[in-house]
Amino acid sequence: MVHLSLKQMRYAVAVAETGQFGRAAKACNISQPALSQQVQAIEELCGTPLFDRLKSGVRPTPFGMEFVSRARQVLESADALAAFTLGHAGEPDRPIRFGLIPTVAPYLLPEIFPALTAGLPGLGFTVSENRTDALIAGLVDGSLDVALIGTDAPLHGPRLVSRPLFEDAFVLATSRSEGTTTPVSLSSLAPERILLLDEGHCFRDQTIAACRLDGDPGARTFAATSLSTIVEFVANGQGVTLLPRIALRKEATDPRIAIHDLVSPGAGRLLSLVWREATPFGATFDKMAEIIRATHP
């Protein structure tokens, strides 16, 4: 008889979602060799490969596609059962595991967290920061309950519910000494002067798309891990950058920085709250979305 664990199923689903063993291992918080060993164990039990190993990553085999589809159903049912046993009247009796992307958390969390704790009395929160792919993987593998992300891209994977919160417009930050006039056309910016976050940040991808940067952005010699680092370079006249408007209260306090609106239609992102459709706590997460919308001006 074939014995498969839920954890093995989560690993296989993560590989299918990310397309790479390395990314899947990172999302599941285990080493790549350990994850590969578990996937190989499934393949040995099934007697056939789940994935074609390619130079650029992996691709599910026809059997693998069916396996992953069925595994998702099992995982959704298992997660729903676990949540049901923990829940009472649609509310969890443990802290809500709440993830946010790094280009939102330090700017929005101080504003919304007091409102969430006041609006949902009796509920606790454990908060973590991570990039969008890792947050979605956390929803997939059940390590997160709900996530706040900033992307308009369709969400792949198990059935996810997305509630729009508000639009977050982008502005241009330059050194005040440059004397740039407002508003600024994105097409007028010198591509080589635009400073970006490092790979994996959705805000990096949104900036590349908004500015229509050609070539290989990964070949740039500068890539920061935080907006605060980029802003310091901008203040010293070493480039320009786009900033989300929610970051201005924290990142635009340096008198050496000048903030400029963009020529219409400009650019921006939609912030959304996301969770698994199968959760029994959907009403609680809808309430979270309402509180965040009401709190943010």
Side-chain angles (χ1 to χ4, degrees), residues 170-236:
F170 297 163
V171 296
L172 181 71
T174 70
S175 169
R176 192 170 297 278
S177 63
E178 295 188 15
T180 304
T181 57
T182 298
V184 176
S185 171
L186 288 174
S187 61
S188 69
L189 301 178
E192 67 275 7
R193 298 201 68 227
I194 300 173
L195 303 180
L196 301 173
L197 289 170
D198 60 3
E199 294 186 13
H201 287 278
C202 60
F203 184 68
R204 170 193 172 91
D205 299 333
Q206 291 157 357
T207 299
I208 291 172
C211 298
R212 299 181 180 179
L213 300 181
D214 297 323
D216 178 15
R220 290 169 172 250
T221 58
F222 177 88
T225 58
S226 70
L227 292 178
S228 296
T229 300
I230 290 182
V231 167
E232 186 60 32
F233 274 77
V234 171
N236 290 327

Side-chain angles (χ1 to χ4, degrees), residues 6-171:
L6 292 177
K7 184 171 291 186
Q8 286 176 312
M9 294 182 198
R10 294 191 195 281
Y11 293 160
V13 170
V15 173
E17 293 297 333
T18 60
Q20 291 185 354
F21 279 90
R23 290 181 181 175
K26 185 176 181 181
C28 295
N29 293 315
I30 66 168
S31 67
Q32 181 173 337
L35 182 140
S36 298
Q37 185 178 22
Q38 291 298 314
V39 172
Q40 186 176 358
I42 300 174
E43 293 175 326
E44 291 174 355
L45 286 171
C46 297
T48 186
L50 296 181
F51 302 99
D52 291 323
R53 276 70 167 174
L54 310 173
K55 290 183 178 180
S56 59
V58 299
R59 179 180 59 200
T61 63
F63 175 81
M65 292 177 65
E66 180 66 18
F67 178 91
V68 168
S69 176
R70 291 171 180 264
R72 283 177 181 148
Q73 296 175 26
V74 172
L75 293 171
E76 288 182 6
S77 296
D79 290 343
L81 179 60
F84 174 77
T85 61
L86 291 171
H88 176 70
E91 293 187 354
D93 63 354
R94 56 165 173 76
I96 294 172
R97 298 165 298 181
F98 184 20
L100 302 92
I101 55 175
T103 56
V104 166
Y107 314 117
L108 194 60
L109 197 57
E111 178 180 289
I112 66 173
F113 192 74
L116 288 173
T117 54
L120 295 168
L123 292 184
F125 293 86
T126 59
V127 179
S128 60
E129 286 186 35
N130 218 323
R131 300 178 183 184
T132 301
D133 288 347
L135 294 181
I136 297 301
L139 295 176
V140 170
D141 66 23
S143 60
L144 282 180
D145 296 313
V146 62
L148 201 164
I149 63 175
T151 177
D152 296 323
L155 301 173
H156 302 288
R159 291 185 294 273
L160 298 176
V161 174
S162 178
R163 292 288 186 267
L165 299 175
F166 56 87
E167 294 282 349
D168 185 23
F170 297 163
V171 296

